[in-house]
């Protein structure tokens, strides 16, 4: 009995577009004392995967209220099939600007943003590898375990493939766990 497996090239082309967000937090000089390093440093990096859906917004809200703290930097990431689609990129930039304002108003955190081209799960995992954040926060569509296995799930892919960082999957508001 022979099974065929798809070979995934690790050296795939990796394309992204930085999103220039307006400066909301004034630039201040670094303190004279040496900053803490490692897990206990004051400003942590938190990667939040977003899209234009309500479950993504719920995960963003959860992260801002329950996880982020003063001096953290959130990194918003959105994956698209093509960076050439200006309408999608512009709509995503507008969404990221709105989320930046909300993050600053609620938690006073700095925001950086990037749009990545390609498969959503792979793009999120590559960004996690690049940034080395304290966590990746993302939503889930709330599909049953059966549907998730049959149709695939970005959150499940990240849960199993983001090796360098914990993945926090925020369940759909008012739903039981899908795992």
């Amino acid at each position: 009995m022979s099974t065929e497996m798809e070979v995934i090239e690790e050296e795939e082309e990796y394309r992204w577009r930085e999103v220039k967000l307006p400066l909301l937090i004034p630039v201040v000089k670094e303190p004279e004392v040496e900053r803490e390093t490692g897990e206990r440093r004051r400003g942590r990096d938190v990667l939040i995967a977003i899209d234009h859906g309500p479950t993504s917004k719920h995960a963003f809200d959860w992260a801002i209220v329950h996880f982020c703290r003063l001096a953290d930097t959130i990194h918003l990431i959105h994956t698209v099939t093509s960076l050439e689609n200006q309408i999608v990129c512009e709509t995503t930039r507008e969404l990221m600007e709105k989320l930046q304002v909300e993050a600053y108003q609620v938690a006073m955190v700095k925001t950086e943003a990037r749009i990545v081209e390609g498969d959503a799960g792979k793009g999120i995992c590559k960004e996690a590898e690049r940034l080395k954040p304290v966590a990746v926060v993302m939503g889930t569509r709330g599909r049953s375990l059966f549907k998730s296995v049959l149709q695939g799930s970005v959150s499940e892919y990240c849960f199993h493939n983001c090796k360098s960082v914990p993945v926090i999957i925020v369940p759909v508001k008012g739903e039981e766990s899908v795992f």
Side-chain angles (χ1 to χ4, degrees), residues 47 124-133 162-165:
L47 181 64
I124 293 166
C125 290
K126 282 186 185 255
E127 281 298 295
E129 185 63 35
R130 180 184 73 84
L131 288 170
K132 305 280 192 259
C162 287
K163 304 288 185 202
S164 62
V165 61

Side-chain angles (χ1 to χ4, degrees), residues 84-92:
E84 308 306 318
N85 188 333
Q86 295 300 318
I87 296 170
V88 171
C89 289
E90 182 60 26
T91 305
T92 299

Side-chain angles (χ1 to χ4, degrees), residues 1 20 26 32 46 51 57 59 64 73 106 116 118 128 146 167 174:
M1 183 187 222
K20 300 292 182 197
E32 299 297 322
V46 178
D51 60 23
K57 177 65 166 84
I64 296 302
T73 299
V106 172
V116 176
F146 182 70
V167 176

Side-chain angles (χ1 to χ4, degrees), residues 120-175:
K122 290 178 184 177
I124 293 166
C125 290
K126 282 186 185 255
E127 281 298 295
E129 185 63 35
R130 180 184 73 84
L131 288 170
K132 305 280 192 259
V134 294
V136 173
V137 179
M138 60 192 317
T140 182
R141 290 188 182 158
R143 293 187 287 196
S144 69
L145 179 60
F146 182 70
K147 283 185 180 177
S148 181
V149 168
L150 287 179
Q151 297 173 345
S153 162
V154 174
S155 56
E156 191 161 332
Y157 178 90
C158 292
F159 180 77
H160 292 290
N161 293 287
C162 287
K163 304 288 185 202
S164 62
V165 61
V167 176
I168 300 171
I169 301 171
V170 181
V172 177
K173 202 174 196 175
E175 293 282 329

Side-chain angles (χ1 to χ4, degrees), residues 15-31:
R15 295 176 23 139
W16 67 90
R17 178 180 291 172
E18 294 291 337
V19 178
K20 300 292 182 197
L21 298 172
L23 186 63
L24 295 178
I25 300 175
V27 177
V28 293
K29 191 174 97 176
E30 287 290 322

